[in-house]
Amino acid sequence: MTIQTTELLALGAGPSNLALAVALEELAPHLAKRCVVAEQHGDVRWHRGTLMPGTLSQVSFLKDLATQRNPRSRFTFLNYLREQNLLDAFINLGTFTPYRQEISDYLQWVARQFDHVQVRYHARAEAITPDYDPAGRVRGWTTRFTDGQTLTSRHLVMGVGRDPNVPAVFRGVRTDRVVHSSAYLHQTRDLLGRPALRIAVVGGAQSAAELYRAALQDWPDADVRMIMRSIGLVAYEGSRFTNELFYASFVDDFYSCEPGTREVILAEMHRTNYGGVAPSLLDELYRLRYQRIITGQGDGDMLTMTDIVDARDSADGVLLTLKDKRTGAVQTLEVDLVLLGTGFSPQLPQLLAPLAQELGLDALDVSRHYRVQFGQFAGAGLYVQGINEATHGIADSLLSVLAARSEEIVMDLLALQDDPALPPARDLIGA
């Protein structure tokens, strides 16, 4: 087993930690030289399982990894377009929302531009434990990877995102028959070209709508049913007034609220990010569905106000038991494939939950600057990104606050480095 040490380890080379790496390169190059970003895959992809052709980002390209913090940064999306000879064409396109594939390619491009931060690929973390000093205080972290490597760090930043939400009713069904949206592309690859599939798409928001469109495109002759608990597909709430709540400056207002007030705000903002569909996709789906209806394919393909009360393997696929919420009527539906557009779990990610338990935390208490608060602190920072909606607002899991958040974390890291009341950083080896 090889043990290496670095000052800062960031787990996950997604937008959050790449934005942090950009901020380190520009604001704290001396710390950037002692930073490792560990990525479990062999490359960087944004929502790699949902990069279906034609899918759009719902966020302005100006909310990239750097622009709102430093518009002159060489890491902006506009500079990426210029480097790829795409700037003129993108301007002529006349849009603020790039294709999702473009954002994904931009992130990989950024990961290749660092002068100091090291990005390690094929580095999947499987366990994290605190390191204690003789007084029993946390002075660092040990992260073990699936390849047998071990990396110790003084500071740790979690940017791995939340785990897919698989409703309990599906947890006993064969995993090759139930596919979450986050795994759509690689888990359905072997089924492409198969005729006459019976497909159920579960959910009533953006990810389910994208799955419904993808299923119709990938299997034109399939019997595709969309099952949702709501009364029907609705548009995101996206007025310019509500979009002001996604400003990075709104995080201060939200964080300063009482917990009960935060809950009210989150509930009122729910349909700005959850429970809705982009208006352009709604229009496209309605036209697709109308075409199917006039050709005799689409009548009854959207089952609204419907609960799935049971799901089990059958000889030919998955047998679903459905209950109509309006009448109480129960029916069964057998399908070959279930596609879950059910979002992500609100629970702590599987990688983080055991560490929180080790630290004696029933729930994460996160500072304004995204540092987890725990007892017996000896200058070892633990930061979490993308899972702080309860304390930092609904934009926490989105691109909207990346640039500002990365600067706040860097400033907090530098304050820890310079705090005379804390132990000095340990000597570094092999970073």
Side-chain angles (χ1 to χ4, degrees), residues 47-50 160-167 171 180-183 207 273-274 340-349 386-387 389 397:
H47 298 302
R48 68 180 59 237
T50 59
V160 295
R162 294 193 182 276
D163 300 320
N165 175 39
V166 177
R171 291 176 191 165
H180 189 267
S181 62
S182 60
S207 61
N273 188 45
Y274 304 108
L340 298 180
T342 50
F344 293 85
S345 171
Q347 305 301 317
L348 287 180
I387 62 170
E389 287 189 358
S397 62

Side-chain angles (χ1 to χ4, degrees), residues 16-67:
S16 294
N17 279 340
L18 289 177
L20 177 63
V22 167
L24 287 167
E25 291 271 328
E26 296 184 341
L27 301 174
H30 63 290
L31 182 55
K33 294 176 182 177
R34 306 195 299 273
C35 173
V36 173
V37 177
E39 168 56 42
Q40 63 176 315
H41 297 100
D43 58 4
V44 173
R45 289 287 180 268
W46 188 44
H47 298 302
R48 68 180 59 237
T50 59
L51 290 175
M52 287 87 80
T55 51
L56 290 169
S57 166
Q58 277 79 61
V59 180
S60 168
F61 71 87
L62 293 172
K63 296 181 177 182
D64 59 19
L65 305 185
T67 295

Side-chain angles (χ1 to χ4, degrees), residues 67-120:
T67 295
Q68 291 176 288
R69 175 182 56 79
N70 176 17
R72 297 179 178 178
S73 170
R74 64 185 176 93
F75 295 99
T76 66
F77 182 74
L78 285 179
N79 193 41
Y80 158 76
L81 291 175
R82 184 181 65 86
E83 293 284 328
Q84 305 303 309
N85 295 316
L86 291 169
L87 186 56
D88 285 341
F90 184 82
I91 292 172
N92 198 40
L93 196 61
T95 183
F96 275 90
T97 53
Y99 289 101
R100 190 175 291 165
Q101 183 65 58
E102 287 183 283
I103 299 293
S104 183
D105 292 344
Y106 160 65
L107 297 177
Q108 180 66 86
W109 174 82
V110 168
R112 296 191 184 111
Q113 306 305 309
F114 299 135
D115 293 327
H116 305 301
V117 172
Q118 179 186 161
V119 180
R120 292 188 185 177

Side-chain angles (χ1 to χ4, degrees), residues 86-234:
L86 291 169
L87 186 56
D88 285 341
F90 184 82
I91 292 172
N92 198 40
L93 196 61
T95 183
F96 275 90
T97 53
Y99 289 101
R100 190 175 291 165
Q101 183 65 58
E102 287 183 283
I103 299 293
S104 183
D105 292 344
Y106 160 65
L107 297 177
Q108 180 66 86
W109 174 82
V110 168
R112 296 191 184 111
Q113 306 305 309
F114 299 135
D115 293 327
H116 305 301
V117 172
Q118 179 186 161
V119 180
R120 292 188 185 177
Y121 297 102
H122 302 294
R124 181 183 179 89
E126 64 178 357
I128 306 165
T129 54
D131 294 336
Y132 299 98
D133 67 9
R137 300 174 302 176
V138 178
R139 65 181 180 185
W141 315 94
T142 295
T143 302
R144 187 174 73 250
F145 296 88
T146 54
D147 64 357
Q149 300 289 316
T150 296
L151 187 61
T152 63
S153 61
R154 186 182 192 188
H155 305 297
L156 182 67
V157 182
M158 303 288 292
V160 295
R162 294 193 182 276
D163 300 320
N165 175 39
V166 177
V169 71
F170 292 107
R171 291 176 191 165
V173 181
R174 280 175 42 180
T175 56
D176 61 329
R177 294 175 173 176
V178 177
V179 177
H180 189 267
S181 62
S182 60
Y184 175 78
L185 287 182
H186 54 268
Q187 276 196 245
T188 61
R189 191 176 297 126
D190 292 341
L191 296 174
L192 293 178
R194 179 175 165 182
L197 274 179
R198 301 164 298 171
I199 301 173
V201 177
V202 180
Q206 181 73 18
S207 61
E210 291 179 358
L211 287 174
Y212 178 75
R213 177 180 62 182
L216 293 179
Q217 292 173 339
D218 290 341
W219 297 281
D221 298 325
D223 177 7
V224 183
R225 308 291 180 95
M226 193 171 185
I227 305 170
M228 64 192 81
R229 294 178 296 181
S230 62
I231 200 167
L233 299 179
V234 295

Side-chain angles (χ1 to χ4, degrees), residues 237-300:
E237 168 55 56
S239 76
R240 287 174 172 81
F241 294 100
T242 54
N243 281 345
E244 289 187 357
L245 303 180
F246 290 88
Y247 289 178
S249 57
F250 182 69
V251 177
D252 281 330
D253 295 336
F254 187 88
Y255 191 85
S256 64
C257 291
E258 296 293 329
T261 304
R262 292 175 184 168
E263 292 177 6
V264 171
I265 295 173
L266 287 175
E268 291 188 5
M269 292 183 68
H270 182 79
R271 221 173 74 196
T272 62
N273 188 45
Y274 304 108
V277 181
S280 60
L281 180 56
L282 281 177
D283 290 342
E284 181 183 353
L285 288 185
Y286 200 83
R287 287 186 176 277
L288 282 172
R289 186 164 175 262
Y290 180 74
Q291 292 171 25
R292 287 171 60 81
I293 289 174
I294 63 178
T295 59
Q297 294 177 287
D299 190 24

